[in-house]
Amino acid sequence: MPLSPPDCAREPLHRRSIHIQSYEREDGLWDLEAELIDTKAYDFPKRSGRLHRAGEPVHHMLLRITIDEHYTITAAEVAYEAAPYGDFCSAIAPAYENLVGLNLLRRFRHAVRERFGRTAGCTHVTELAQVLPTAAIQTMAGRRRVRPVSRKRPFELDGCHALRVDGPVVRVHHPDWYEGPDAPEPKPPALDAG
């Protein structure tokens, strides 16, 4: 369902696009390629005196990570197509090789903020990195449909509103972990007759 129509006339100003494409590699690893593009809906003068045209990227950053089956980053690369300060911005790109070794499911966003916050990174690339965990989960979801029977609680439960353990989605799709008001009473452990 779309948003409701705006209640007054508006003029577009800024567009941020984030695009992520994932790939399965022949070597058993996965690549996630993320792209951030910022454009303005109007022309404006740059400090150089040149006119920056509407729709021309102000920011255009690319980030590729390679992950293994445990969601650990094994390679990382950043490239710049457009940045307001050119080479001064893109000089930070090699620092993002320090994503290697981080795990997307274990405090990844916190680690990214610690490693690349403020002057240690690029605001836009760091923001782009923040969307990688959920993209990786979606990448692997189709490949992991058939899961071995496990008594381990699925990691995605209580990760969002729809997957709360007292909600209808968990009740239907993960009934063993459902904790709503109509959940069955837990069975007592079997007593050992020996």
Side-chain angles (χ1 to χ4, degrees), residues 102-116 126-127 129-135 137:
L102 294 179
N103 185 284
L104 293 173
L105 303 183
R106 296 189 193 112
R107 297 183 48 82
F108 176 76
R109 291 180 178 103
H110 176 76
V112 167
R113 283 190 303 271
E114 279 187 340
R115 289 185 186 194
F116 305 105
T126 298
E127 182 175 332
Q130 300 292 327
V131 302
L132 294 174
T134 53
I137 290 167

Side-chain angles (χ1 to χ4, degrees), residues 70-181:
H70 303 291
Y71 297 88
T72 298
I73 298 173
T74 63
E77 178 183 354
V78 167
Y80 285 74
E81 295 288 327
Y85 301 104
D87 292 343
F88 295 107
C89 289
S90 63
I92 198 67
Y96 285 89
E97 292 172 12
N98 288 323
L99 289 168
V100 172
L102 294 179
N103 185 284
L104 293 173
L105 303 183
R106 296 189 193 112
R107 297 183 48 82
F108 176 76
R109 291 180 178 103
H110 176 76
V112 167
R113 283 190 303 271
E114 279 187 340
R115 289 185 186 194
F116 305 105
R118 306 199 45 89
T119 60
C122 165
T123 302
H124 300 87
V125 174
T126 298
E127 182 175 332
L128 189 55
Q130 300 292 327
V131 302
L132 294 174
T134 53
I137 290 167
Q138 291 301 313
T139 295
M140 304 294 245
R143 296 293 183 198
R144 297 181 168 201
R145 283 274 183 235
V146 179
R147 295 183 184 176
V149 176
S150 170
R151 288 304 311 149
K152 186 177 177 188
R153 177 183 157 133
F155 74 89
E156 63 267 25
L157 299 186
D158 275 341
C160 71
H161 174 76
L163 291 172
R164 66 187 192 280
V165 294
D166 64 346
V169 173
V170 171
R171 183 174 186 243
V172 171
H173 297 284
H174 300 282
D176 290 348
W177 300 100
Y178 177 66
E179 297 176 10

